[in-house]
């Protein structure tokens, strides 16, 4: 229950950040700047720039759009956190670009919740020796850990383990089976 509340706090923080990134409207007119009171001021050196600021009585502000946006962002954020498998190319430990958004969400969640931790489980397909696959799983887990730490997650929040080829998701010898087994699993204890 506490973990869910912490995740919700991180998602709301993300939504507030996005809402704060909205820009003011800027319109061009001839030689005057409009202040927030609606008066015009001549300003030498700024050219023909007018800033239009719309004032709204705080009592009349419609917050339903903000609430809908926060709910949508929270939902998207939670969907990203539900994705806990990061896949790798054959014999590679580089993070594929399609998994960066997922890892960014996990990093934001962990950075916002310093008491939370994660275990990164590295895996490999069955090709190669046992020792090589253990080392490859370790490199993959380390790659994900490094990515998370570059985005603000403390090293003390991350544990890594390599299972090599010992815990496959797919039991087969096709390329799609191998691709499913080349992964890092993100586990919240």
């Amino acid at each position: 229950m506490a973990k869910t509340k912490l995740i919700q706090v991180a998602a709301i923080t993300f939504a507030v950040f996005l809402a704060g990134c909205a820009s003011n409207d800027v319109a061009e007119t001839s030689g005057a700047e409009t202040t927030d009171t609606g008066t015009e001021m001549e300003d030498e050196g700024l050219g023909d720039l007018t800033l239009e600021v719309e004032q709204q009585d705080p009592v009349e502000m419609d917050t339903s759009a903000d609430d809908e946006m926060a709910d949508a962002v929270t939902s998207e954020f939670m969907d990203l956190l539900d994705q806990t498998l990061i896949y790798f190319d054959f014999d590679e430990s580089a993070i594929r670009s399609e998994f960066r958004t997922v890892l960014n969400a996990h990093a934001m969640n962990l950075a916002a919740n310093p008491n939370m931790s994660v275990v990164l489980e590295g895996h490999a397909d069955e090709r190669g020796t046992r020792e090589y696959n253990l080392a490859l799983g370790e490199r993959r887990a380390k790659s994900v850990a490094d990515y998370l730490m570059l985005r603000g997650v403390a090293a003390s929040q991350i544990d890594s383990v390599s299972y090599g080829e010992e815990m496959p998701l797919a039991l087969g010898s096709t390329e799609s089976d191998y691709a499913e087994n080349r992964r890092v699993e993100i586990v919240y204890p």
Side-chain angles (χ1 to χ4, degrees), residues 124-177:
D125 62 37
E126 66 185 24
R127 296 175 287 184
T129 65
R130 183 177 186 279
E131 294 79 16
Y132 182 83
N133 287 335
L134 281 170
L136 181 57
E138 184 177 334
R139 285 194 310 272
R140 288 174 174 164
K142 183 178 178 350
S143 178
V144 172
D146 289 345
Y147 188 94
L148 294 174
M149 287 188 288
L150 285 172
R151 278 144 187 85
V153 179
S156 61
Q157 292 177 271
I158 301 171
D159 287 322
S160 298
V161 63
S162 176
Y163 292 108
E165 63 189 70
E166 301 302 317
M167 297 179 66
L169 281 181
L171 300 173
S173 298
T174 67
E175 183 52 41
S176 65
D177 294 330

Side-chain angles (χ1 to χ4, degrees), residues 2-181:
K3 189 186 297 186
T4 303
K5 288 193 183 279
L6 291 174
I7 291 171
Q8 289 173 342
V9 168
I12 290 170
T13 303
F14 182 67
V16 169
F17 171 76
L18 287 179
C21 291
S23 63
N24 292 335
D25 291 334
V26 176
E28 290 186 24
T29 63
S30 57
E33 179 179 330
T34 304
T35 65
D36 61 348
T37 60
T39 61
E40 291 187 359
M41 294 176 23
E42 289 294 327
D43 190 357
E44 300 170 22
L46 289 181
D48 297 335
L49 182 66
T50 300
L51 295 176
E52 296 177 6
V53 178
E54 181 182 324
Q55 284 192 340
Q56 197 171 19
D57 187 5
V59 176
E60 297 176 16
M61 293 179 80
D62 181 20
T63 60
S64 63
D66 291 339
D67 291 343
E68 288 175 18
M69 186 173 111
D71 289 344
V73 169
T74 301
S75 175
E76 289 175 29
F77 186 76
M78 297 303 289
D79 289 345
L80 289 171
L81 289 179
D82 286 341
Q83 296 179 39
T84 58
L85 298 176
I86 308 300
Y87 293 102
F88 293 83
D89 292 329
F90 174 71
D91 202 27
E92 291 289 330
S93 59
I95 295 170
R96 296 179 357 200
S97 61
E98 69 239 39
F99 295 106
R100 290 189 178 144
T101 305
V102 172
L103 290 175
N104 289 341
H106 285 282
M108 184 180 293
N109 183 41
L110 289 164
N113 300 294
N115 294 329
M116 194 177 274
S117 64
V118 68
V119 177
L120 303 174
E121 299 178 348
H123 299 271
D125 62 37
E126 66 185 24
R127 296 175 287 184
T129 65
R130 183 177 186 279
E131 294 79 16
Y132 182 83
N133 287 335
L134 281 170
L136 181 57
E138 184 177 334
R139 285 194 310 272
R140 288 174 174 164
K142 183 178 178 350
S143 178
V144 172
D146 289 345
Y147 188 94
L148 294 174
M149 287 188 288
L150 285 172
R151 278 144 187 85
V153 179
S156 61
Q157 292 177 271
I158 301 171
D159 287 322
S160 298
V161 63
S162 176
Y163 292 108
E165 63 189 70
E166 301 302 317
M167 297 179 66
L169 281 181
L171 300 173
S173 298
T174 67
E175 183 52 41
S176 65
D177 294 330
Y178 291 148
E180 228 179 299
N181 293 328

